[in-house]
């Protein structure tokens, strides 16, 4: 007898529907799975057989053939255990065959018949409406994630026997519903800017960077507070919208990363080690998975010891910094992963780290300093809007009370207000922050008064800034003006923006 049920395979971060066909015929007892399964899928034979027997079902001692179609899509993981078991039950006459084909099912089976949590449920749930499938069977632990997509009847169960009774009409089950109105995007962070002593200039630069979506690099000796400042940046971001939470959760779900609840509501803060490879940052592999630039989507990618990263690893950042996505090409397919993140980099000014230190002497010669700083290519540095110096703290600053510093909540209020101005300005254009402006938007929205124009002209002539640096100065100036509530860019805004381009100075 032949049975059919739907499941899905994750391809990159997208889901592709898979038809699970099961045929039981007379002959020697053989259980074969075809359709390009990986080792984990092939092992389903043992898990399914044990789960069925321990759930009170007889495992047919016949020839069983399971086909996962289409055959040219690779299937991986234990996600197909449940649909294979249901297909065998239907083909053996234990559950209603006619009802089975309207369901999409995913789930890994334990040997005692319990259904375990699997990855990629949200991408699958989002893909079901366009494939005209309304009923989704998922593990109980995945019910919240699956229901986020909406427009799908999410039926969640803990055991194989419960699913069989449900399909036979012997068990009532209310579909799990996620109410979008219950989405609470307020999250508390473990780090607060009130704990950062001194470094007023660096904290101001970070505020501007977050307000306008700008990338930032911090240069300073070890122990000056670069990492401490970076860890507190997510706490001054505007709260995530529901759409941003769904986008981020979809990527993490497809990558198999753990998260609590239905959605990821806190902005990502990814801090890969400086020994990370280009593939680890960009994503890839024989069967490409999202890398760090995609896992930090809608959040922060922090690269500490920036100059210590391999050259090829840093250069892969060029495309996502410009296009807010990254393309990973392979012989058989091309994958596009979202990568809209804020880059925060930190590096020492020289190999010993003491260049410019108030008390410690630098032991590096000019050639070593130049060689060290040149590890960051010009095109990559051009894509970083704000360069800020983070000097070593004085004793008076270290011994000061923590209460003299502004809290993250206070800074966040100004950032949110500036973002609201930008949202209204770019409404309907697909741009959400000043950093994304192109030449047309710069010309339209970066209006300078007379003094600002003169200040910019002097800076360009005296400091030999490039054309790209010119655009960056205007974008950062626009953000500074938004934080100050000014519709026109003034001389003070230009002067402050110029101060944040010290790597470009001749």
């Amino acid at each position: 007898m032949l049975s059919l049920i739907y499941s899905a395979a994750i391809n990159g971060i997208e889901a592709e529907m898979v038809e699970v066909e099961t045929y039981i015929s007379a002959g020697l007892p053989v259980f074969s799975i075809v359709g390009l399964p990986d080792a984990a899928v092939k092992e389903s034979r043992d898990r399914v057989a044990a789960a069925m027997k321990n759930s009170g079902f007889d495992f047919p001692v016949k020839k069983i053939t399971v086909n996962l179609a289409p055959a040219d899509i690779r299937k991986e993981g234990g996600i197909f255990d449940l649909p294979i078991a249901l297909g065998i039950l239907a083909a053996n006459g234990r559950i209603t065959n006619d009802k089975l084909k309207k369901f999409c099912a995913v789930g890994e089976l334990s040997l005692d018949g319990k259904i375990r949590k699997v990855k990629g449920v949200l991408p699958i749930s989002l893909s079901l409406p366009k494939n005209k499938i309304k009923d989704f069977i998922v593990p109980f632990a995945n019910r919240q994630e699956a229901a986020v997509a909406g427009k799908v009847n999410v039926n969640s169960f803990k055991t194989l026997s419960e699913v069989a009774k449900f399909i036979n009409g012997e068990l009532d089950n209310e579909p799990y519903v996620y109410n979008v109105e219950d989405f609470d995007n307020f999250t508390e962070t473990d780090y607060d800017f009130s704990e950062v002593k001194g470094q007023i200039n660096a904290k101001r630069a970070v505020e501007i960077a977050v307000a306008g979506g700008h990338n930032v690099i911090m240069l300073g000796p070890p122990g000056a507070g670069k990492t401490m400042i970076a860890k507190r940046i997510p706490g001054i971001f505007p709260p995530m919208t529901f759409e941003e939470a769904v986008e981020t959760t979809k990527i993490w779900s497809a990558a198999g990363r753990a998260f609590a609840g239905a959605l990821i509501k806190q902005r990502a803060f990814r801090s890969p080690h400086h020994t990370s490879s280009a593939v680890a940052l960009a994503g890839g592999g024989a069967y490409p998975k999202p890398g760090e630039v995609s896992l930090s989507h809608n959040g922060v990618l922090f690269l500490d010891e920036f100059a210590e990263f391999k050259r090829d690893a840093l250069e892969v950042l060029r495309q996502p910094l410009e296009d807010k996505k990254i393309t990973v090409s392979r012989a058989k397919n091309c994958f596009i992963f979202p990568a809209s993140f804020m880059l925060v980099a930190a590096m020492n000014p020289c190999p010993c780290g003491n260049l410019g230190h108030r008390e410690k002497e630098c032991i590096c010669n000019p050639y070593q300093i130049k060689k060290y700083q040149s590890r960051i290519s010009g095109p990559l540095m051009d894509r970083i809007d704000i360069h800020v110096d983070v000097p070593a703290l004085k004793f008076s600053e270290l011994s000061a009370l923590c209460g003299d510093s502004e809290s993250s909540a206070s800074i966040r209020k100004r950032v949110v207000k500036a973002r609201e101005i930008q949202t209204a300005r770019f409404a309907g254009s697909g741009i959400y922050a000043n950093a994304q402006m192109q030449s047309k938007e710069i010309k339209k929205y970066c209006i300078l008064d007379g003094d600002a124009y003169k200040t910019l002209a002097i800076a360009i002539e005296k400091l030999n800034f490039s054309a790209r640096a010119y655009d960056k100065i205007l974008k950062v100036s626009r953000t500074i003006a938004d934080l100050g509530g000014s519709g026109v860019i003034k001389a003070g805004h230009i002067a402050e923006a110029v101060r944040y381009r010290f790597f470009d100075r001749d």
Side-chain angles (χ1 to χ4, degrees):
M1 189 175 178
L2 180 66
S3 69
L4 170 66
I5 186 173
Y6 291 96
S7 190
I10 300 299
N11 194 12
I13 63 169
E14 301 297 334
E16 296 195 36
M17 300 309 299
V18 173
E19 295 181 1
V20 181
E21 301 172 310
T22 306
Y23 181 61
I24 299 179
S25 60
L28 293 174
V30 178
F31 187 178
S32 60
I33 301 175
V34 297
L36 204 60
D38 72 347
V41 178
K42 291 178 180 178
E43 291 171 355
S44 293
R45 294 174 296 191
D46 299 320
R47 291 193 297 269
V48 169
M52 288 177 62
K53 291 177 182 178
N54 289 320
S55 298
F57 299 107
D58 294 328
F59 189 79
V61 187
K62 297 180 180 179
K63 183 178 180 181
I64 303 172
T65 304
V66 176
N67 179 37
L68 306 177
D72 60 339
I73 298 176
R74 183 175 182 268
K75 292 84 179 179
E76 62 179 8
I79 196 171
F80 298 101
D81 288 4
L82 180 59
I84 288 174
L86 294 175
I88 293 173
L89 290 173
N92 200 34
R94 296 302 302 271
I95 61 176
T96 307
N97 197 358
D98 294 337
K99 291 183 179 180
L100 195 64
K101 62 181 67 176
K102 76 171 187 175
F103 290 102
C104 176
V106 296
E108 180 182 335
L109 292 176
S110 62
L111 300 185
D112 61 356
K114 292 180 182 177
I115 306 174
R116 289 179 171 149
K117 186 177 182 180
V118 293
K119 70 176 184 178
V121 169
L122 181 55
I124 295 171
S125 186
L126 289 169
S127 72
L128 292 183
K130 65 182 180 183
N131 289 287
K132 299 180 180 179
I133 297 176
K134 296 182 179 179
D135 297 285
F136 195 17
I137 297 175
V138 300
F140 186 80
N142 288 115
R143 68 193 187 283
Q144 291 180 310
E145 180 187 345
V148 164
K151 301 180 182 179
V152 177
N153 298 322
V154 177
N155 301 287
S156 59
F157 302 94
K158 295 181 178 179
T159 64
L160 174 60
S161 59
E162 289 179 356
V163 181
K165 291 177 182 178
F166 168 71
I167 295 175
N168 284 332
E170 301 171 3
L171 177 67
D172 292 330
N173 183 75
E174 284 292 326
Y176 185 87
V177 178
Y178 181 85
N179 190 353
V180 178
E181 295 179 357
D182 294 336
F183 175 71
D184 180 13
N185 58 5
F186 176 77
T187 55
E188 293 185 0
T189 59
D190 297 329
Y191 305 103
D192 196 279
F193 266 101
S194 62
E195 300 163 345
V196 181
K197 301 177 181 180
Q199 304 299 4
I200 296 174
N201 184 47
K203 287 186 284 188
R204 168 66 176 173
V206 164
E207 178 183 339
I208 295 168
V210 176
H214 305 287
N215 302 310
V216 60
I217 181 170
M218 295 181 284
L219 184 77
K226 301 185 295 295
T227 302
M228 188 177 189
I229 292 171
K231 287 183 177 179
R232 283 150 181 80
I233 290 177
I236 62 173
F237 262 90
M240 291 183 78
T241 63
F242 178 76
E243 291 74 18
E244 287 178 327
V246 171
E247 288 175 358
T248 305
T249 306
K250 179 181 177 181
I251 297 169
W252 280 59
S253 177
R257 301 292 177 133
F259 57 91
L263 289 171
I264 295 173
K265 297 185 289 184
Q266 190 169 11
R267 295 190 182 273
F269 180 84
R270 304 293 298 177
S271 180
H273 194 261
H274 64 264
T275 57
S276 299
S277 65
V279 173
L281 289 179
Y287 302 96
K289 301 291 184 184
E292 293 293 341
V293 298
S294 296
L295 294 173
S296 57
H297 183 62
N298 292 322
V300 175
L301 176 64
F302 176 51
L303 300 184
D304 200 5
E305 304 297 342
F306 196 45
E308 301 296 336
F309 280 81
K310 295 178 182 177
R311 184 67 173 251
D312 62 331
L314 291 179
E315 293 307 307
V316 302
L317 297 174
R318 287 199 202 179
Q319 185 200 8
L321 287 175
E322 200 75 26
D323 301 334
K324 303 303 178 183
K325 62 183 179 181
I326 188 160
T327 304
V328 179
S329 298
R330 292 293 179 267
K332 293 183 179 180
N333 210 340
C334 179
F335 302 85
I336 299 177
F337 299 135
S340 179
F341 60 90
M342 175 182 167
L343 174 65
V344 179
M347 62 180 286
N348 297 330
C350 65
C352 77
N354 294 327
L355 181 66
H357 199 286
R358 292 188 179 97
E359 299 176 359
K360 297 181 180 179
E361 183 180 355
C362 175
I363 60 173
C364 306
N365 61 49
Y367 172 76
Q368 291 174 316
I369 295 170
K370 185 175 181 180
K371 183 180 179 181
Y372 183 79
Q373 295 185 359
S374 65
R375 291 182 183 179
I376 315 302
S377 69
L380 179 58
M381 192 62 75
D382 270 350
R383 286 166 170 78
I384 301 177
D385 305 0
I386 296 177
H387 313 157
V388 59
D389 184 33
V390 185
L393 292 173
K394 299 178 182 178
F395 174 77
S396 58
E397 293 172 317
L398 286 171
S399 60
L401 296 175
C402 291
D404 63 346
S405 188
E406 196 173 16
S407 68
S408 293
S410 178
I411 299 173
R412 189 192 304 118
K413 289 179 182 178
R414 294 196 296 269
V415 169
V416 170
K417 188 174 180 180
R419 284 291 183 105
E420 289 173 350
I421 294 172
Q422 294 165 60
T423 300
R425 176 185 298 139
F426 303 122
S429 65
I431 298 174
Y432 67 87
N434 290 331
Q436 292 182 306
M437 287 191 293
Q438 302 298 321
S439 298
K440 182 175 70 174
E441 289 80 23
I442 292 174
K443 185 176 181 180
K444 182 177 180 180
Y445 298 115
C446 296
I447 309 300
L448 284 66
D449 65 12
D451 290 339
Y453 184 85
K454 293 177 182 177
T455 303
L456 181 59
I458 293 171
I460 297 297
E461 291 177 4
K462 298 291 185 182
L463 301 175
N464 292 330
F465 286 131
S466 66
R468 191 191 292 267
Y470 170 80
D471 286 347
K472 298 292 186 185
I473 290 170
L474 288 177
K475 291 178 184 180
V476 174
S477 299
R478 179 67 271 171
T479 301
I480 296 171
D482 290 341
L483 283 169
S486 174
V488 177
I489 297 175
K490 299 179 180 179
H493 305 146
I494 291 289
E496 185 173 4
V498 168
R499 190 175 63 179
Y500 298 132
R501 300 298 302 178
F502 64 78
F503 270 115
D504 291 335
R505 298 171 189 171
D506 188 1

